[in-house]
Amino acid sequence: MKQLLMGNEAIGLAAIQAGVNLVSGYPGTPSTEVLETVAKQNDGSIYVEWSTNEKSALEVAAGAAIAGARVMVTMKQVGLNVASDPLMSLAYLGIKGAMVVVVADDPGPISSQTEQDTRHFAEYAKLPVFDPSSPEEAYRMIRDAFDLSQKYHTPVLFRPTTRVCHACASVEVKEEKIEHKPQGFVKDAKWVIFPRLTYQNHIQIEKNLRLIAEDFNQYDGNQITETAPNTKKGVACGGISYAYVKEALNRAQTHVRLLKIGTPHPFPEELALQFMEGLYEILVVEELDPVIEKALLLVAGKHHIKINILGKLDGSMKNAGENSLESVLTAIEDFLELPKTKYEPIELPPLPVRPPVLCVGCPHRASFYAVKKAMKGQKAVFCGDIGCYTLGNAQPLDMVDTCLCMGAGITIAQGLQHIEPDAVHFAFIGDSTFFHTGIPGVINAVYNQTDLVLVILDNSTTAMTGHQPHPGTGKTMMNTVSPKIDLEKLLLALGVQSVKKVNPFDLTNAITCVKEAAQTKGVAAIIFEAPCISLFKPEKKYQISDSCTSCQRCIKELGCPAISKDSISNKVVIDQSLCYGCSLCAQICPAKAIVIGGDKSC
Amino acid sequence: MLNLILAGVGGQGTVLASKLLAQAAINRGLDVRTAETIGMAQRGGSVTSHVRIGQDLYSPLVALDTADIILGMEPSEALRCLPYLKKGGSIVVSSKFIKPFTASLPGSTYEENLIWQCLGDHCKNISVIDGGKICDACGSTKVLNIALLGAASNLRQLNLTLVDLEKAVQEILPQKIHSINLQALNLGAQSARKGETAL
């Protein structure tokens, strides 16, 4: 039966059918829906958790895998950096059951800090990697990934990209499901990593990689999918770029010899040799790093094949950003010397700009505003972090001066403080990010006696990735209630000088607390507590009364999407269908012209 | 092969509308691919959904100059996607503009009449739907997307009937909102049939 499945749903469903026993992960675009699918379709036999971070997720899964379970770990590409410590070692230690580590890459990037390529990571970590080109292929490949992992006792990376993860397709779904019963942990010296064991296992890993490469030569995810008579030119590609190349060839109504690589590491060398036979020029179409391109160059060099290989390294293809149908069509037309498809440019009039902004009623807006007001005229630096609140950098708030990676705001602020002790350094961090990697940074500041104002933006959810539970929410992915981790007690236990819990919408009080914290030596923490607007419905709405003087302070200082200036009457208006009743604008209005209004058109 | 672009603002249900179209097509035994481009914001950003229906499709994204239909939940978003429309393609668009908050900040002006003019200059087959009126009739601002689907069902190119879309609505949406959405679907279809075009 064919079902409409998102790539991530296809991966989750296929994992269930492959007999997965445990799934752990940390949310991150574009990977999040994989674990959510398993949780949603779980009949209760699979243990599913959002872990506090990717390292925890991978280690939990590693424990289950050495007890013989089939496990899956999910994360986005930068999450793999956090999980890389356990993964690198686990590659040497090996596993007993099966472990598939789904790492979603984000060419573009559309919603990430880096354009790192997990295929490269696979090579570095000496792990096999699957690179599906469509949701259907992702569905089929997952089972192969589990089987390969079990066969060679190695973790296997599975690397879809955004256009596979978030694309939907009609997928032929099977009914049957494998039942996998874990054997249980058997004590053995092989589970304790020591230098001598690492050396011995390293030898075995290299042997296995050669064997896996042979398997991959025969694997149907790697194929010469098209040929053309007497052709001297070939195209090699992988991932979503395969889809673009197929479309481009259809559109240009032409054929070439086409190599599709579904497992870039270990590279299917024999297949590549067959592909190169008789060709004098190859175009490599891939996203992120030139992984297939370098592998083909290596094969050509090793076998003394005289061939031109065009791609990112020689500048034929762009080396940053994602490919598109249009960019691939242009590249294919250039390569095959075909007539160019022309796009007639349409001159569009000015269109509304819709930059990413904090939602109407978002508590982060109030928190940023309170800090901004409290620190007006003083030397202060605002270190941001990863989450919705990174959007606090937009005008008119302009309250994010730095952002690096998960949890880094707290520690970056400390470095800044050592160099500029006369400034007040703030670190803003969301509740989920704080649990993820924020805590060690706080300990670092307390222990090293660094002045810092820590601002935890506690909105009781993981908002940016779609509202996943975390240790502060008291809910788990197994639908059980667990005791909430109390941020205030935790901070006090870590030795933080002062901890204040404040509702940011109580603006006067919030500003006072910030001023006090800025004067405190050592680490002072403010927990701004107010729920994300997605967690409740508005109880009241505000509107502008006749006493409005059109000073536009509400517009100029808050940037709330519900408030605008009517283009005809030139009056400030609040869109009643958008207002969430947060009251922030009413609190800052110098004319007290913003009042609770009637409930119109909502 | 049919290529559709659905364009709207975050919160208007653009992605849901694309799922309903895809489900209707699958029910007819057709293969489907869809993809979305969504910015980082939870709400208020531009959202574009790509829907492709037919055999031998590989890319989930529609190429420029190849869309048969643009469904615009908002006029300026429909226009933003105009480069995707092929010659002779159709546009079904809601008449109501959604102002971004930046429209109130200096240096970010746009003129509604220029947007309509540009749409009209480049596409001869536009149905403008008074989505606000349909939402009022249904008593919810959230059914605009469904009303537009209803309006689109009148297009011969779509190859999906109102009945196909009704079935998809019943399959995908929770039961308690079936009647309101079916009403929106039908009002959308009627308003397009009456030829309520404002151009």
Side-chain angles (χ1 to χ4, degrees):
Chain A
M1 195 191 89
K2 279 196 174 172
Q3 257 184 40
L4 180 69
L5 290 180
M6 186 196 272
N8 282 345
E9 291 173 327
I11 293 169
L13 193 61
I16 294 175
Q17 292 172 337
V20 74
N21 304 112
L22 177 145
V23 181
S24 54
Y26 187 80
T29 309
S31 71
T32 311
E33 300 84 357
V34 175
L35 187 142
E36 286 178 334
T37 300
V38 180
K40 216 180 284 172
Q41 312 231 1
N42 189 1
D43 61 5
S45 64
I46 306 167
Y47 176 77
V48 188
E49 74 168 39
W50 281 129
S51 310
T52 49
N53 61 37
E54 294 84 357
K55 173 174 151 71
S56 302
L58 200 124
E59 289 159 352
V60 167
I66 65 176
R70 284 195 153 199
V71 302
M72 180 164 75
V73 194
T74 76
M75 63 195 71
K76 68 183 295 176
Q77 90 281 37
V78 286
L80 184 57
N81 302 336
V82 178
S84 66
D85 194 8
L87 186 62
M88 291 300 290
S89 299
L90 193 64
Y92 284 85
L93 197 68
I95 52 170
K96 191 160 76 182
M99 176 189 259
V100 176
V101 184
V102 177
V103 182
D105 279 356
D106 181 19
I110 297 168
S111 185
S112 302
Q113 309 94 289
T114 72
E115 280 205 290
Q116 63 191 76
D117 193 323
T118 298
R119 297 175 301 165
H120 253 330
F121 199 101
E123 214 176 312
Y124 176 53
K126 305 183 187 298
L127 296 173
V129 60
F130 288 76
D131 184 13
S133 64
S134 66
E136 301 96 300
E137 193 176 31
Y139 178 79
R140 291 193 302 269
M141 271 185 169
I142 279 285
R143 185 168 294 193
D144 303 329
F146 273 104
D147 291 346
L148 187 86
S149 171
Q150 191 141 4
K151 181 176 173 188
Y152 289 101
H153 307 292
T154 177
V156 167
L157 285 164
F158 193 92
R159 173 264 195 187
T161 56
T162 307
R163 301 294 179 200
V164 173
C165 292
H166 282 175
C168 296
S170 26
V171 180
E172 187 71 49
V173 175
K174 288 183 226 152
E175 293 297 321
E176 88 259 31
K177 181 186 165 201
I178 294 170
E179 294 294 337
H180 178 78
K181 286 256 176 298
Q183 193 196 356
F185 182 62
V186 181
K187 291 189 182 188
D188 190 314
K190 73 177 180 180
W191 300 125
V192 183
I193 201 157
F194 269 109
R196 190 177 157 72
L197 180 74
T198 297
Y199 170 73
Q200 284 167 350
N201 288 0
H202 190 176
I203 295 168
Q204 190 58 43
I205 288 166
E206 299 297 341
K207 272 187 199 157
N208 284 352
L209 283 173
R210 279 195 292 277
L211 294 174
I212 296 169
E214 280 172 29
D215 289 355
F216 281 171
N217 282 321
Q218 311 299 324
Y219 181 53
D220 64 5
N222 301 315
Q223 269 187 40
I224 298 169
T225 65
E226 276 190 34
T227 50
N230 307 321
T231 186
K232 293 281 168 204
K233 291 191 174 190
V235 175
C237 53
I240 193 66
S241 295
Y242 174 68
Y244 299 153
V245 168
K246 286 290 279 186
E247 290 271 346
L249 293 173
N250 279 354
R251 251 182 105 175
Q253 295 182 324
T254 188
H255 293 279
V256 287
R257 197 183 295 171
L258 179 60
L259 175 68
K260 171 189 169 296
I261 296 294
T263 63
H265 183 260
F267 196 71
E269 188 175 324
E270 285 301 320
L271 185 72
L273 279 171
Q274 280 173 41
F275 167 69
M276 284 197 248
E277 175 79 44
L279 296 180
Y280 84 89
E281 200 162 59
I282 295 171
L283 177 71
V284 188
V285 186
E286 59 191 320
E287 285 177 324
L288 304 175
D289 293 337
V291 171
I292 297 172
E293 187 181 350
K294 280 185 180 170
L296 289 173
L297 281 167
L298 197 72
V299 174
K302 195 169 145 188
H303 296 271
H304 309 288
I305 300 168
K306 195 166 181 297
I307 192 163
N308 282 334
I309 298 179
L310 311 179
K312 290 169 185 277
L313 294 171
D314 73 322
S316 296
M317 302 297 291
K318 60 176 186 170
N319 47 24
E322 68 170 335
N323 287 337
S324 66
L325 263 174
E326 292 80 17
S327 72
V328 171
L329 180 61
T330 305
I332 297 269
E333 285 168 348
D334 275 345
F335 178 61
L336 299 176
E337 293 162 40
L338 299 169
K340 290 265 170 55
T341 303
K342 287 215 174 67
Y343 300 100
E344 276 177 38
I346 303 177
E347 217 170 292
L348 299 179
L351 292 173
V353 184
R354 303 189 198 277
V357 289
L358 295 170
C359 295
V360 174
C362 175
H364 300 335
R365 181 177 290 105
S367 304
F368 283 127
Y369 189 75
V371 176
K372 189 170 183 170
K373 282 284 142 186
M375 297 312 292
K376 199 175 173 196
Q378 292 181 63
K379 194 172 174 187
V381 181
F382 308 111
C383 298
D385 221 297
I386 308 285
C388 285
Y389 47 97
T390 317
L391 301 176
N393 77 322
Q395 293 296 347
L397 287 172
D398 187 19
M399 281 295 285
V400 177
D401 296 324
T402 72
C403 182
L404 184 69
C405 66
M406 293 285 283
I410 295 174
T411 16
I412 292 255
Q414 295 166 39
L416 290 166
Q417 174 69 22
H418 294 307
I419 303 305
E420 279 190 279
D422 60 326
V424 183
H425 290 91
F426 284 79
F428 292 93
I429 189 163
D431 40 354
S432 186
T433 308
F434 181 72
F435 290 117
H436 180 277
T437 31
I439 298 166
V442 176
I443 299 172
N444 192 62
V446 171
Y447 168 62
N448 289 303
Q449 299 176 318
T450 309
D451 295 344
L452 168 75
V453 183
L454 171 67
V455 180
I456 301 186
L457 303 167
D458 182 2
N459 63 356
S460 303
T461 189
T462 316
M464 183 144 236
T465 47
H467 311 288
Q468 290 74 25
H470 63 66
T473 64
K475 281 186 219 113
T476 74
M477 278 314 259
M478 295 299 281
N479 288 321
T480 55
V481 175
S482 77
K484 294 182 189 181
I485 308 280
D486 187 321
L487 283 171
E488 193 177 10
K489 283 187 192 159
L490 173 66
L491 291 168
L492 288 169
L494 295 180
V496 171
Q497 286 296 324
S498 80
V499 184
K500 286 266 166 62
K501 222 192 252 189
V502 196
N503 179 348
F505 290 118
D506 180 357
L507 191 60
T508 315
N509 188 24
I511 293 172
T512 311
C513 286
V514 175
K515 284 182 176 163
E516 281 169 16
Q519 299 294 324
T520 308
K521 289 297 286 176
V523 182
I526 298 168
I527 303 167
F528 278 130
E529 216 178 30
C532 174
I533 60 155
S534 65
L535 302 178
F536 66 97
K537 293 243 185 302
E539 287 168 359
K540 55 183 190 285
K541 307 213 167 214
Y542 284 81
Q543 62 185 33
I544 312 273
S545 73
D546 293 340
S547 38
C548 172
T549 61
S550 286
C551 73
Q552 295 184 36
R553 181 190 276 189
C554 50
I555 290 174
K556 288 179 191 156
E557 295 196 358
L558 298 180
C560 170
I563 314 177
S564 61
K565 198 178 70 191
D566 190 88
S567 49
I568 300 157
S569 69
N570 235 359
K571 283 186 172 163
V572 178
V573 288
I574 297 180
D575 186 331
Q576 294 295 294
S577 67
L578 293 177
C579 177
Y580 233 79
C582 79
S583 83
L584 190 62
C585 57
Q587 291 183 57
I588 71 156
C589 178
K592 300 277 171 244
I594 304 181
V595 293
I596 295 174
D599 193 354
K600 280 188 236 155
S601 71
C602 55
Chain B
M1 187 221 298
L2 181 72
N3 289 329
L4 290 112
I5 294 280
L6 289 83
V9 177
Q12 286 193 299
T14 310
V15 176
L16 177 64
S18 71
K19 287 230 153 58
L20 290 165
L21 278 172
Q23 188 60 46
I26 285 189
N27 289 345
R28 288 275 294 265
L30 301 164
D31 279 338
V32 186
R33 289 191 187 281
T34 75
E36 286 92 38
T37 56
I38 304 173
M40 286 209 300
Q42 289 278 353
R43 297 171 194 200
S46 298
V47 176
T48 309
S49 268
H50 298 231
V51 179
R52 311 189 68 206
I53 302 171
Q55 301 305 312
D56 284 330
L57 301 175
Y58 293 91
S59 163
L61 295 168
V62 173
L64 294 175
D65 264 341
T66 65
D68 300 276
I69 301 169
I70 291 178
L71 276 189
M73 314 280 154
E74 201 267 358
S76 65
E77 293 309 315
L79 184 57
R80 210 188 294 279
C81 290
L82 193 63
Y84 285 104
L85 194 68
K86 71 178 189 194
K87 280 206 172 60
S90 302
I91 297 178
V92 177
V93 60
S94 165
S95 56
K96 194 189 169 199
F97 279 84
I98 294 183
K99 234 185 234 180
F101 89 101
T102 48
S104 296
L105 294 170
S108 52
T109 48
Y110 63 95
E111 283 180 45
E112 295 184 0
N113 60 344
L114 289 181
I115 289 174
W116 286 119
Q117 195 185 330
C118 187
L119 278 170
D121 286 349
H122 289 92
C123 176
K124 295 299 156 216
N125 188 11
I126 304 189
S127 315
V128 182
I129 306 300
D130 188 343
K133 205 166 97 186
I134 297 175
C135 289
D136 287 347
C138 297
S140 166
T141 52
K142 291 188 175 162
V143 295
L144 178 73
N145 54 348
I146 308 296
L148 279 165
L149 286 183
S153 70
N154 290 319
L155 295 173
R156 210 170 337 116
Q157 301 111 293
L158 185 68
N159 248 335
L160 295 170
T161 64
L162 194 58
V163 177
D164 291 330
L165 293 169
E166 283 176 345
K167 195 168 166 238
V169 162
Q170 284 162 337
E171 278 176 22
I172 289 188
L173 300 182
Q175 193 170 359
K176 62 176 184 186
I177 56 168
H178 280 178
S179 69
I180 187 176
N181 281 287
L182 293 175
Q183 190 190 355
L185 200 60
N186 280 281
L187 287 175
Q190 281 165 26
S191 86
R193 267 200 295 276
K194 279 191 225 144
E196 287 178 11
T197 49
L199 291 173

